[in-house]
Amino acid sequence: MYGQCTWFAWGRFYELYGYDPGFSGNGRSCVKELVAAHPDKFERYSSPKAGAVFSAIGHNHVGIVITVKDNTLTVQEGNLDGITNTFQDAKKDW
């Protein structure tokens, strides 16, 4: 569905790594699905790392960690307005 955080995370993952991350569920299950699909490449961990996919604890949301420096995280995520957007709106919500 256009505009969902999973749609943004899937696309960004593909841009970064060049292959299907293997997740298609809701935002809170993406990390679990990623590790299940690619156990030779990814592991579940509680500390952020650049390039990692995160599933928000307590929220149905997913995104990508871009950098970790000192106590500052840079993440990329989509669907910050909480609705399923049209494709035109979704492109601006990145």
Side-chain angles (χ1 to χ4, degrees), residues 9 11 14 17 24 28-29 33-34 38 47 56-57 72 78 84 91:
Y14 192 84
Y17 294 103
S24 60
R28 69 174 61 96
S29 67
E33 292 176 11
L34 173 66
H38 304 286
S47 294
I57 297 170
T72 302
T84 299
K91 290 191 299 184

Side-chain angles (χ1 to χ4, degrees), residues 68-94:
V68 179
K69 185 174 181 178
D70 302 322
N71 289 326
T72 302
L73 293 175
T74 302
V75 300
Q76 289 184 332
E77 55 191 332
N79 191 24
L80 301 177
D81 57 9
I83 61 172
T84 299
N85 292 307
T86 65
F87 182 67
Q88 292 303 320
D89 289 336
K91 290 191 299 184
K92 295 181 241 170
D93 193 27
W94 178 262

Side-chain angles (χ1 to χ4, degrees), residues 28-79:
R28 69 174 61 96
S29 67
C30 288
V31 169
K32 181 180 176 185
E33 292 176 11
L34 173 66
V35 172
H38 304 286
D40 57 323
K41 296 180 177 74
F42 297 94
E43 63 182 329
R44 190 175 182 138
Y45 199 71
S46 60
S47 294
K49 263 171 87 166
V53 173
F54 69 85
S55 289
I57 297 170
H59 300 280
N60 189 14
H61 193 67
V62 64
I64 307 281
V65 177
I66 301 302
T67 62
V68 179
K69 185 174 181 178
D70 302 322
N71 289 326
T72 302
L73 293 175
T74 302
V75 300
Q76 289 184 332
E77 55 191 332
N79 191 24

